[in-house]
Amino acid sequence: MRPKLLAAVLCLTLFGCASKQVVPTHNESRVQAEASLKAAESAGASRVPEAAQHMEFARQQIADAERLLVEGEQEAADMRFRQAEADADLALALARSIPLEREAQRATQQAEAARRSLQ
């Protein structure tokens, strides 16, 4: 009888753990948002106007989230941290892509000018 009871308790425990939804804590969200912001800063996002704007959005959202944490609004703070992370990620992507796009445009213009001069 005991082995069956032990097996049943073990199965229920495992089932309960497996069905528990894992939700990141506000601290994890904060760390991810700040890490994304630092990555954008190190990629030079502040020198690209389009990216700098999204970095500012991310900073504001982090500040708002911290204020919400003080007020006890955990879920709202978590959402702001996630929004900050998304804006910082966008700033990073823009910091990398816009200079490359400008360089490609310059190369295209030079190639077009060279083609015209050969004609």
Side-chain angles (χ1 to χ4, degrees):
M1 172 88 173
R2 280 198 167 169
K4 289 182 181 179
L5 181 62
L6 182 60
V9 169
L10 183 60
C11 286
L12 288 175
T13 302
L14 289 175
F15 179 74
C17 291
S19 66
K20 175 138 175 71
Q21 186 178 18
V22 178
V23 179
T25 65
H26 61 273
N27 195 40
E28 290 174 31
S29 298
R30 171 189 279 160
V31 169
Q32 290 173 345
E34 290 175 351
S36 292
L37 187 60
K38 286 186 191 310
E41 288 172 348
S42 66
S46 60
R47 294 186 305 266
V48 179
E50 298 89 340
Q53 182 179 16
H54 288 282
M55 281 182 52
E56 185 57 33
F57 292 156
R59 285 187 189 104
Q60 289 172 354
Q61 289 165 344
I62 289 172
D64 287 347
E66 289 173 351
R67 178 186 49 80
L68 288 166
L69 282 177
V70 170
E71 295 173 0
E73 298 289 333
Q74 303 290 335
E75 286 184 41
D78 220 27
M79 183 62 71
R80 288 293 167 95
F81 282 130
R82 290 182 190 158
Q83 289 171 336
E85 181 183 2
D87 271 318
D89 288 345
L90 179 56
L92 175 62
L94 289 171
R96 290 178 176 167
S97 67
I98 289 177
L100 292 174
E101 183 181 342
R102 290 178 183 153
E103 185 178 329
Q105 287 173 347
R106 252 191 321 274
T108 301
Q109 290 170 351
Q110 289 174 348
E112 185 63 31
R115 186 183 63 81
R116 275 188 249 131
S117 68
L118 292 176
Q119 289 180 351

